[in-house]
């Protein structure tokens, strides 16, 4: 399974807008916050691997 990296662009209620950072892309992806780590904020960096998002330090 492919590993992908994202940054949290914005948070809107129960959803977060993520932008992929490991490839050139201007697409913004809307993801339910229930699928993301609890302590995310705008600017947080995430790794998506094996159907799970993890917060990068």
């Amino acid at each position: 399974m492919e590993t992908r990296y994202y940054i949290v662009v914005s948070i809107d209620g129960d959803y977060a807008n993520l932008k992929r950072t490991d490839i050139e892309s201007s697409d913004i992806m809307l993801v339910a916050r229930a699928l993301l780590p609890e302590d995310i904020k705008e600017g947080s960096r995430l790794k998506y691997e094996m159907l799970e998002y993890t917060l990068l330090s």
Side-chain angles (χ1 to χ4, degrees):
M1 179 151 267
E2 181 182 359
T3 300
R4 299 178 181 184
Y5 295 91
Y6 296 94
I7 190 165
V8 178
V9 176
S10 63
I11 297 173
D12 185 22
D14 291 335
Y15 295 91
N17 292 300
L18 305 182
K19 183 177 186 302
R20 194 158 171 193
T21 59
D22 59 320
I23 62 168
E24 284 285 326
S25 176
S26 61
D27 294 339
I28 301 293
M29 184 172 70
L30 188 65
V31 177
R33 288 188 65 190
L35 300 174
L36 302 172
E38 285 185 29
D39 47 348
I40 64 162
K41 58 185 175 192
E42 290 183 11
S44 293
R45 296 181 316 134
L46 301 170
K47 178 172 79 168
Y48 179 75
E49 186 174 48
M50 302 293 289
L51 303 175
E52 184 176 282
Y53 290 94
T54 53
L55 190 60
L56 299 174
S57 53

